[in-house]
Amino acid sequence: MATILDGKAHADRMLEAVRLGVEARKAKGLRAPGLAVVLVGDDPASHVYVRNKSAACAKVGITSFEHRLPADTAQADLDALIDRLNADPGVDGILVQLPLPKGLDSKRALHRISPEKDVDGFHPINQGLLLEGLPGLRPCTPSACMSLLAHHGVDLKGIRAVVLGRSEIVGKPMALMLLEQHATVTIAHSRTKDLPAVCREADLLVAAVGRPGLVEGSWLKPGAVVVDVGINRVESLSLGEQIFAAEPKKLENLKTKGAVLCGDVRFGEAMDVASAVTPVPGGVGPLTIAGLLTNALMAADRNR
Ligand code: NDP
């Protein structure tokens, strides 16, 4: 039976480190870090994320500023808000909540954020620094996954790591961070031939695909470490019966509640093959906010 890598517990450790960092700033007479969150439109999931981010800021002593704009906001007005926040000395970090409503160009918005305040780590300057192995603000989800692996003593040197997914947000930066730690990295995606065979080579498998239960237990190398970044909502009972065959409790929840969250990996099956697995929920999900606030503190310490 694999060990469960508890993301919530590690997120709490990361947040405590941020809280102490904020305290240390205050002890030196410096102000609390300021994080501005820009939310455009009324995507319900984005509203929940923004609420959770503000609550987490309050817990660790970071000042959060929420800027809510209507869905029909013009790109020029979004640009103007970002420019104002870039120039505001009380704002150390700026986050534009994605997805933006149709008609707004998210790349343009993300590229307009000053790299020093880019706490999501999506600006090309920060992505370039990561590529060069230089310090900078790095994407929150993969850097928090790295922190989780380090905490659990996973030795990455020389191992075969497979990253499923090649997004700029998770897959590509995760692969670069693993490479930096001397893993031999394969990036797989929707065009990869014989995905199960590629996965079976992995001592460490990171799944960031967004397909519920794509990775079966038989795709895993015995003893592999599995980091499941995917967060998927499953409502279909027939799909649930297929992917939760080794998770009777999850299947029961699906039947009673009508929907459940799950990862890209079949957790119940992975528990029988792998040596360590992150659950969904309670794995990588809580780590992302902790990574974001770690970045906000780092940005503030650099800005003073
Ligand atoms: P994207 O949709 O941007 O990327 C998905 C990647 O998966 C693409 O590279 C795509 O390949 C690949 N892919 C899709 N289908 C398959 C398939 N059948 N086989 C192999 N590869 C496939 O997603 P994100 O990276 O933004 O997010 C991935 C997942 O992680 C989502 O479930 C998301 O909700 C979750 N997530 C969770 C976070 C957290 O806090 N835990 C934070 C961020 C994301 P191709 O490039 O060829 O299209």
Side-chain angles (χ1 to χ4, degrees), residues 222-239:
V225 173
V226 178
V227 175
D228 191 352
V229 182
I231 301 180
N232 310 291
R233 189 180 152 87
V234 172
E235 294 175 2
S236 151
L237 189 56
S238 61
L239 176 64

Side-chain angles (χ1 to χ4, degrees), residues 127 130 138-149 156 161-181 183 185-187 204-208 227 229 284:
Q127 301 249 6
L130 170 60
R138 294 182 166 191
C140 311
T141 303
S143 44
C145 289
M146 293 300 285
S147 168
L148 178 76
L149 292 171
L156 299 170
V162 173
V163 179
L164 279 185
R166 54 175 163 178
S167 72
E168 262 91 51
I169 295 172
V170 190
K172 282 184 198 165
M174 185 79 217
L176 287 170
M177 290 178 204
L178 291 168
L179 188 61
E180 188 179 43
Q181 295 302 315
V185 184
T186 300
I187 306 177
L204 168 69
L205 181 78
V206 180
V227 175
V229 182
V284 177

Side-chain angles (χ1 to χ4, degrees), residues 36-40 65 67 69 78 81-82 85 94-97:
V37 179
V38 178
L39 178 57
V40 190
F65 310 99
H67 294 268
L69 301 176
L78 179 57
L81 173 59
I82 294 172
L85 296 172
I94 304 168
L95 178 149
V96 174
Q97 184 65 47

Side-chain angles (χ1 to χ4, degrees), residues 2 49-50 63 72 92 125 137-139 152 258 270 278:
Y49 294 144
V50 167
T63 311
D72 61 358
D92 300 291
I125 294 273
L137 293 166
R138 294 182 166 191
H152 287 279
T278 61

Side-chain angles (χ1 to χ4, degrees), residues 39-193:
L39 178 57
V40 190
D42 21 61
D43 176 53
S46 294
H47 277 261
V48 174
Y49 294 144
V50 167
R51 241 197 340 266
N52 291 347
K53 283 167 189 170
S54 300
C57 281
K59 268 195 199 156
V60 299
I62 290 179
T63 311
S64 67
F65 310 99
E66 275 183 38
H67 294 268
R68 291 170 188 258
L69 301 176
D72 61 358
T73 296
Q75 186 92 36
D77 293 331
L78 179 57
D79 287 351
L81 173 59
I82 294 172
D83 291 347
R84 271 208 318 281
L85 296 172
N86 280 339
D88 185 338
V91 170
D92 300 291
I94 304 168
L95 178 149
V96 174
Q97 184 65 47
L98 300 179
L100 289 174
K102 274 205 180 80
L104 288 175
D105 181 345
S106 45
K107 277 243 150 107
R108 174 165 148 181
L110 297 178
H111 292 190
R112 202 164 182 106
I113 296 172
S114 154
E116 293 78 28
K117 298 191 178 189
D118 167 40
V119 279
D120 260 334
F122 297 159
H123 192 284
I125 294 273
N126 284 317
Q127 301 249 6
L129 290 170
L130 170 60
L131 189 69
E132 290 203 2
L134 294 171
L137 293 166
R138 294 182 166 191
C140 311
T141 303
S143 44
C145 289
M146 293 300 285
S147 168
L148 178 76
L149 292 171
H151 174 79
H152 287 279
V154 178
D155 186 5
L156 299 170
K157 218 174 293 152
I159 68 163
R160 296 293 299 265
V162 173
V163 179
L164 279 185
R166 54 175 163 178
S167 72
E168 262 91 51
I169 295 172
V170 190
K172 282 184 198 165
M174 185 79 217
L176 287 170
M177 290 178 204
L178 291 168
L179 188 61
E180 188 179 43
Q181 295 302 315
H182 314 295
T184 299
V185 184
T186 300
I187 306 177
H189 45 77
S190 67
R191 317 289 167 88
T192 299
K193 288 191 179 135

Side-chain angles (χ1 to χ4, degrees), residues 223-266:
V225 173
V226 178
V227 175
D228 191 352
V229 182
I231 301 180
N232 310 291
R233 189 180 152 87
V234 172
E235 294 175 2
S236 151
L237 189 56
S238 61
L239 176 64
E241 279 169 344
Q242 209 182 313
I243 64 179
F244 303 137
E247 274 180 278
K249 224 167 150 190
K250 188 85 117 183
L251 189 57
E252 204 46 48
N253 278 343
L254 173 59
K255 285 179 184 159
T256 53
K257 295 182 181 156
V260 287
L261 287 183
C262 74
D264 294 337
V265 179
R266 298 186 188 188

Side-chain angles (χ1 to χ4, degrees), residues 25 31-34 92 116 295-304:
R25 283 178 63 83
R31 61 178 171 70
D92 300 291
E116 293 78 28
N295 275 353
L297 174 65
M298 189 195 291
D301 283 346
R302 289 178 166 187
N303 294 341
R304 303 315 281 173

